[in-house]
Amino acid sequence: MSDATQTVSVAPLEWSLIRARGGQALSFLQGQLTQDLEGLDESERWSLLLRPDSIVVSALRVRGVAGGVDLVVPREVADDAASRLRRFLLRVDCTLDVADAMDGPFATTSDLVTAGWPGANETARELSPHSFGSAVVAATISFTKGCYTGQELVGRLDARGAKVPWRLVRATGATLKEVDAVLRSRGPDGPQGVTTVVPADEGVRALGVAHRTLVDGVVDGVLVTTL
């Protein structure tokens, strides 16, 4: 969120499907996504799509369908996510196409903030999985499956205690400007600041990125909680 003075409102979230079809669709995605997809069938699981340097491209919902797999992704990142997957699609019985989805895991920005889950605005800050918190890591990453794109750096960071300089937080304050200022008040120049904001009973609630030196609690009238 580049303009901390913009109007605060609840917005609907739009979703897309990346449709993977073919006899090797599941095995291909097993080597690309962070989640273990073994035995997926027609169930659903959260996962992440990473760049080779372990930066999160998108959080996504994986579900088995007849003849393949659907990936439910924020519409803003669908084309980029599909393009990154196609880079590794060599001599594999799998096709990928993008289509609009009727709905997704969260209906509005308010739902996203309440869940403390990274959407397109959050992954746009180019962070590694551990920056989004232990709940996201636990829900999206298997540390026992085989190799996937970005695995080495994620595994190394986890083994070293997952100490990351930037972290996703939820913050509540009187105004967007005040919340954004607090999130930017610690650490060097970087990806910090409000990413998604919605109205609250007495002000605003927001997701944002803060430096690890910004401690949890009330800071200049803004309540900050690490996710």
Side-chain angles (χ1 to χ4, degrees), residues 21 31 35 37 89 93 95 114 125 165 177 188 195 198 205:
R21 299 292 185 269
Q35 182 61 271
L37 305 183
L89 199 60
D93 179 16
T95 62
T114 298
R125 298 299 169 103
K177 183 177 180 179
T195 53
V198 295
R205 295 185 300 134

Side-chain angles (χ1 to χ4, degrees), residues 8 172-173 198-205:
V8 176
T172 304
V198 295
D201 290 339
E202 296 182 359
V204 298
R205 295 185 300 134

Side-chain angles (χ1 to χ4, degrees), residues 15 18 32-34 47-61 71-88 117-129 132 136 140 149-150 154:
W15 301 87
I18 300 176
Q32 298 302 319
L33 303 181
T34 60
S47 189
L48 301 174
L49 174 63
L50 308 181
R51 297 187 333 205
D53 61 0
S54 83
I55 296 300
V56 176
V57 176
S58 181
L60 45 84
R61 193 77 170 157
L71 310 179
V72 184
V73 300
R75 191 163 297 172
E76 301 95 320
V77 302
D79 288 338
D80 182 40
S83 177
R84 290 188 176 277
L85 285 169
R86 289 190 183 106
R87 295 180 187 183
F88 300 95
W117 197 262
N121 292 340
E122 288 69 43
T123 57
R125 298 299 169 103
E126 299 195 332
L127 301 169
S128 61
F132 295 116
V136 170
T140 61
T149 299
V154 171

Side-chain angles (χ1 to χ4, degrees), residues 3-191:
D3 184 356
T5 65
Q6 63 183 277
T7 302
V8 176
S9 61
V10 175
L13 294 174
E14 296 184 321
W15 301 87
S16 292
L17 294 177
I18 300 176
R19 299 184 296 201
R21 299 292 185 269
Q24 294 179 301
L26 185 61
S27 60
F28 168 70
L29 292 173
Q30 179 78 318
Q32 298 302 319
L33 303 181
T34 60
Q35 182 61 271
D36 189 352
L37 305 183
E38 191 70 32
L40 181 65
D41 297 325
E42 295 185 2
S43 58
E44 295 190 4
R45 301 174 191 176
W46 278 110
S47 189
L48 301 174
L49 174 63
L50 308 181
R51 297 187 333 205
D53 61 0
S54 83
I55 296 300
V56 176
V57 176
S58 181
L60 45 84
R61 193 77 170 157
V62 187
R63 64 190 185 200
V65 297
V69 180
D70 280 347
L71 310 179
V72 184
V73 300
R75 191 163 297 172
E76 301 95 320
V77 302
D79 288 338
D80 182 40
S83 177
R84 290 188 176 277
L85 285 169
R86 289 190 183 106
R87 295 180 187 183
F88 300 95
L89 199 60
L90 303 173
R91 300 184 181 90
V92 177
D93 179 16
C94 175
T95 62
L96 300 172
D97 69 87
V98 179
D100 291 347
M102 294 297 295
D103 53 28
F106 305 105
T108 69
T109 49
S110 182
D111 296 335
L112 194 74
V113 172
T114 298
W117 197 262
N121 292 340
E122 288 69 43
T123 57
R125 298 299 169 103
E126 299 195 332
L127 301 169
S128 61
H130 288 90
S131 291
F132 295 116
S134 59
V136 170
V137 170
T140 61
I141 298 177
S142 169
F143 290 97
T144 59
K145 63 175 280 187
C147 296
Y148 58 83
T149 299
Q151 180 193 35
E152 182 178 356
L153 294 176
V154 171
R156 185 185 308 162
L157 182 59
D158 193 73
R160 294 177 178 177
K163 295 179 180 179
V164 290
W166 306 105
R167 56 202 176 100
L168 185 67
V169 300
R170 186 188 290 111
T172 304
T175 67
L176 169 55
K177 183 177 180 179
E178 291 173 8
V179 172
D180 193 67
V182 167
L183 298 191
R184 296 178 182 276
S185 66
R186 302 288 190 278
D189 289 340

